[in-house]
Amino acid sequence: MCGIIGYTTRKNNSVEVALSGLKNLEYRGYDSSGIAFFDGEKMDIIKSKGKISNLDDKLSNFNTNSCCAIAHTRWATHGEPNETNAHPHQVGKVTLVHNGIIENYSVLKDELLKNGYTFKSETDTEVAAAYLDYCYSKTQDKLQALVDACKAFRGSYAFDVVYEDEPTTIYATRKDSPLVIGYSHDGNFAASDISAILNYTNKYSLIEEGEFVKVTKDIVTFYNKDLHEIEKKSETATWDAAQYQKNGYEHFMLKEIYEQPKAISDIFNRYYTNCSYKDLDFSKFDKIHIVACGSAMHASLVGKYLLQTYGKIPVMVEIASEYRYSEELITPSTLLIVVSQSGETADTLAALRLAKEKGAYVVGIVNAVGSTIAREVDKCIYTYAGPEIAVATTKGYTSQVAVFSTLALMAMEQKGLLDKNIEKLIKNDMLNIEEKINSVISNREKYLEIANQIYKHNDLFFIGRGIDSTVCMEGSLKLKEISYMHSESYSAGELKHGTISLIDKGTPVISIATDEKLFEKTVSNIKETKARGSFSIFVTTENHIDNCDEFADEVIILPKATDFTEPILTVIALQLVAYETAKLRGCDIDKPRNLAKSVTVE
Ligand code: G6P
């Protein structure tokens, strides 16, 4: 989703710095970019469709010495990705960049048209710029104009604004979209997240909803919604710039896959040594709802399986954008668990706010430290997996699953369901996870061999039962996200109720059967596809490989583990199959088309 950065400095390098910040925001997903900079007389605006390198190329034709710049990566919502729709937008005395959506922009546009404003683009943001200019023309006070405009805006926003008559000051505010202020030796920043500024500083402050900020090269002043000055603490980021580099890996996705052994074993080690959420008492709640989007929702399904099967607690998992339609089920005795890597996903945030309104207790499983969701939940369980740059999540997902495994274990303990032998088995499993993940990752040749068999196909199916069917969903999503192959995930027993009609000679079917109890039934379903000519790729554990030649053309063998870690091992194999397949198809693995890492609009 859109990323913004503004920088005002004592030097003349604001364009270079803002551009390097934009590059660090690329991971959020975008389809055009732009920058406005003060050239000594006025704000120049340069925009470009496609990659930031196109913008960079264009800028090389200009004198970009400048002490103040605001820049933007746009992920199109209102109007196609082109230069006219790209930000910054300039209307009258106002130049601004925006992350979010102004939902009532057409009503405001009508009002502005009546007042003589004209528009070049199809965007809600140009309307926001015009409306701010309109407010400024009335009050002649820059902060007050921003307050007045924001009162009229419905929707979400993080704005960096520069006024023509004060071209080296950035005014900023936010609602439902992230924004941080950064402090460096040479100047100050207002950016979507810390990654944008980490090359220059790790000192930052978070802006709360409805606060306003005036950023000059020397000083940053914070205001509350009534424009009273407020004090802000400065914080120090623990993530450093090196974590935003590929460090020799061909892609961020591959680097992040290789970071999983440590990320997951850290979670389990922390659980056994210094667990911050052991005080969560499940007996206080009559039900658990888990709400998330995308891969985080898939991790939630693993969580549901573990909490229900082992913790004997009924759990409902809901896609965040649909949760509001279950409103009547939310009560003060509901435990809502929201799951989000970025901590900024708009639908998940809306779900958490709704549940809080209804009196529910909300726990977050979040990776991005200090993110909005992390700050708004009653209790935050951080996954501490470090920054994830590739749009397709890998360590983000597995670390969420790992946290759920520990929660299920806690539920068993609290309910007296954990006998000594099982406890020992699970502990041993969790504390040896690093070695097992490494052995899955080391099977790269096999994943490449499979990728070579499937990459020319247009359709592919994943099937499994029980906990394996939840992993199928994530394996399938990973493949379609980065390779653009059509892939569907089906519960193995359900395939025959319609979708099996799509299985033809050579159609690849990836089946997962790691669960002892369900093994035979899944094998029967695989045979049903094989009888229709499927190319069968079988994913199973080392104790299950006898006689699988009968129904498998390829086999991925995983180490045997308990249900508390097996989904992690399985999905990592599937991540690598997706990775190798996307590579063979020549796809842009880290930045797949149309996708955004941080989805800050509903
Ligand atoms: C986007 C990303 C997905 C992610 C989902 C939820 O769609 O592309 O990879 O799973 O958002 O993101 P979150 O940050 O809330 O986990």
Side-chain angles (χ1 to χ4, degrees), residues 454-473:
I454 63 175
Y455 84 101
K456 288 190 181 150
H457 285 265
N458 292 324
D459 301 292
L460 185 144
F461 295 85
F462 283 80
I463 58 169
R465 284 171 178 260
I467 200 164
D468 293 331
S469 78
T470 64
V471 179
C472 281
M473 293 170 82

Side-chain angles (χ1 to χ4, degrees), residues 523-538:
V523 168
S524 299
N525 299 134
I526 299 168
K527 287 183 177 170
E528 289 160 9
T529 74
K530 198 72 194 124
R532 274 113 193 135
S534 71
F535 179 75
S536 162
I537 300 152
F538 184 48

